[in-house]
């Protein structure tokens, strides 16, 4: 089946006349549909539609805008099973996790719907008598939303819900690997009642669709999640045009296990964080930094648990670990497994798993554990984005902190310890936007800020009420009701 773009409230074909296929990563013979391979002219049309919708949308009271977000969240909840099934088919994650992805979209829709009635500014005393001082948020304009395939519903919602509730219109370009998930979302957004032109979907490549959005002078704010190379290119263009830009890029998350940790708990958290979503979460754990005293014991238990994980298609209830998103992704993990074989010690997995019955048409890779990685090795430094976990052995907490922070990235981290003092030191010392104590690195909730330190981002946050910061301008307003000239910083300083 062929799916259109959604522009000015209508489903339509691209002017290019070209389409591309989306396939099931667990079985590439299963073609999900054909999608518009759009070009710059489609982007221009979508931006025009968004621009025309803006005046009425920004004039709509925010609580009213919020009501549409509530309806959208409720529709997602009503269609949760259908959406999750479609997501598993297109992206590969196991159904329980696909449901979680949809749920995260629902959560942010409801959170941001509530922002329609909050959207707090400050009302503060003036330094002068008979003068009022306050600040309000206002929308920026047309927002360009460029999203990855790994959370194909949650992340578009993280970006579009705060943009829309604060009165912006959006042009949404989803990842080329998951256009069907985007179409299903936008269908429900239209049904929820977002006015024509406030939500526009244009499918296609980063070059032909993404970059024209970023380059357009009529799109003053961009939110992007993806690779650092693309992020840098976007940042350079956005800098030339002085655009607002929120970036969520490469990660290298770690879990520290101290010698007093509950090892069963740690193993549960590590296996879930490293191999859940086949290691394809921004928050996934790719390094375990473990105290020497318990390293062998932890590794034995980890290997036993990992060896028992069942690979398979995500819609099979027996499956623990689904496929990678694409052949390229699987080849990338295989290249890192070669590095591991040369530079460290593979103690579990390490190969593509297509030779097993039922897996031959998908992008399956064995959950892999590599021991004796050093912090500055390639495996300790580079993002792999797949089911490959490195073990780094350290002597004590001091070495652990050093190893954990010795990376250019900083999204999520965790410590397993029974020592309350160490737990608090970790909360202070770990250089990441998210820190967990006695839990793995994945599973952030939507009402707290989400984002990375250092090279993972550019200082902005998604989720939480601070997500509004990306999509709003502040306006400070002073009302002088004294009836005469009052000079700030001067008249109130007279002796
Ligand atoms: C991502 O992988 O980009 O914290 C998002 C988590 C999820 C979100 C991950 N709530 O694992």
């Amino acid at each position: 089946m062929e799916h259109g773009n959604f522009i000015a409230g209508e489903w339509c074909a691209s002017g290019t006349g070209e389409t591309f296929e989306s396939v099931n990563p667990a079985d590439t013979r299963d073609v999900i549909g054909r999608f518009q391979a759009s070009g710059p002219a489609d982007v221009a049309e979508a931006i025009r539609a968004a621009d025309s919708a803006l005046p009425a949308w920004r004039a709509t009271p925010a609580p009213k805008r919020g009501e549409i977000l509530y309806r959208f969240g409720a529709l997602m909840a009503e269609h949760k099973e259908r959406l999750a099934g479609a997501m598993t088919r297109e992206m590969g994650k196991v159904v329980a996790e696909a449901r979680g992805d949809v749920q995260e979209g629902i959560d942010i829709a409801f959170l941001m719907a509530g922002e329609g009635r909050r959207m707090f500014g400050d009302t503060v005393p003036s330094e002068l008598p008979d003068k009022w001082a306050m600040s309000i948020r206002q929308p920026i304009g047309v927002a360009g939303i460029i999203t990855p395939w790994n959370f194909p519903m949650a992340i578009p919602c993280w970006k579009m819900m705060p943009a829309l509730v604060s009165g912006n219109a959006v042009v949404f370009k989803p990842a080329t690997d998951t256009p069907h998930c985007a179409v299903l979302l936008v269908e429900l957004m239209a049904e929820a009642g977002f006015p024509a032109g406030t939500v526009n979907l244009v499918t296609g490549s980063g070059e032909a669709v993404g970059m024209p959005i970023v380059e357009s002078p009529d799109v003053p704010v961009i939110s992007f999640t993806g690779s650092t190379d693309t992020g840098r290119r976007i940042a350079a263009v956005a800098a030339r045009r002085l655009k607002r830009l929120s970036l969520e890029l490469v990660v290298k998350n770690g879990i520290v296990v101290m010698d007093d940790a509950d090892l069963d708990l740690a193993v549960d958290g590590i296996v879930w964080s490293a191999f859940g979503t086949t290691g394809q979460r921004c928050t996934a754990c790719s390094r375990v930094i473990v105290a020497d005293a318990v390293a062998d014991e932890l590794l034995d238990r980890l290997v036993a648990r990992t060896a028992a994980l069942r690979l398979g298609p995500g819609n099979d209830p027996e499956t623990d670990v689904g496929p990678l998103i694409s052949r390229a992704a699987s080849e990338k993990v295989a290249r890192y497994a070669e590095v591991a074989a040369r530079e460290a010690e593979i103690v579990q997995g390490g190969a593509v798993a297509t030779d097993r019955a039922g897996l031959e048409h998908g992008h399956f890779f064995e959950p892999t554990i590599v021991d004796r990685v050093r912090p500055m090795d390639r495996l300790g430094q580079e993002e792999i984005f797949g089911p490959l976990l490195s073990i780094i052995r350290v002597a004590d907490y001091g070495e652990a902190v050093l190893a954990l922070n010795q990376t250019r990235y900083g999204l999520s981290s965790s410590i397993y310890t029974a020592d309350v003092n160490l737990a608090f030191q970790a909360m202070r010392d770990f250089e990441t936007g998210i820190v967990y104590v006695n839990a793995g690195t994945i599973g952030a909730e939507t009402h707290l800020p989400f984002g990375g330190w250092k090279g993972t981002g550019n200082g902005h946050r998604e989720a939480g009420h601070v997500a509004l910061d990306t999509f709003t301008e502040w306006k400070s307003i002073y009302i002088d009701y004294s009836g005469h000239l009052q000079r700030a910083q001067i008249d109130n300083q007279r002796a």
Side-chain angles (χ1 to χ4, degrees), residues 104 150-151 155 158 225 280-283 436 441-444 450:
E104 204 157 338
N150 70 331
F151 274 77
I155 292 180
W158 283 8
T225 299
Q280 301 172 108
R281 291 196 192 212
C282 290
T283 48
Y436 289 91
T441 48
I442 70 179
F450 181 97

Side-chain angles (χ1 to χ4, degrees), residues 347 376 386 432:
V347 290
M376 297 308 288
T432 54

Side-chain angles (χ1 to χ4, degrees), residues 12 60 142 218 221 265 268 305 340 386 453 468-469:
C12 52
T60 305
V142 178
D218 300 319
V221 47
L265 191 66
D268 282 345
R305 279 286 298 282
W453 286 26
L468 296 173
D469 293 347

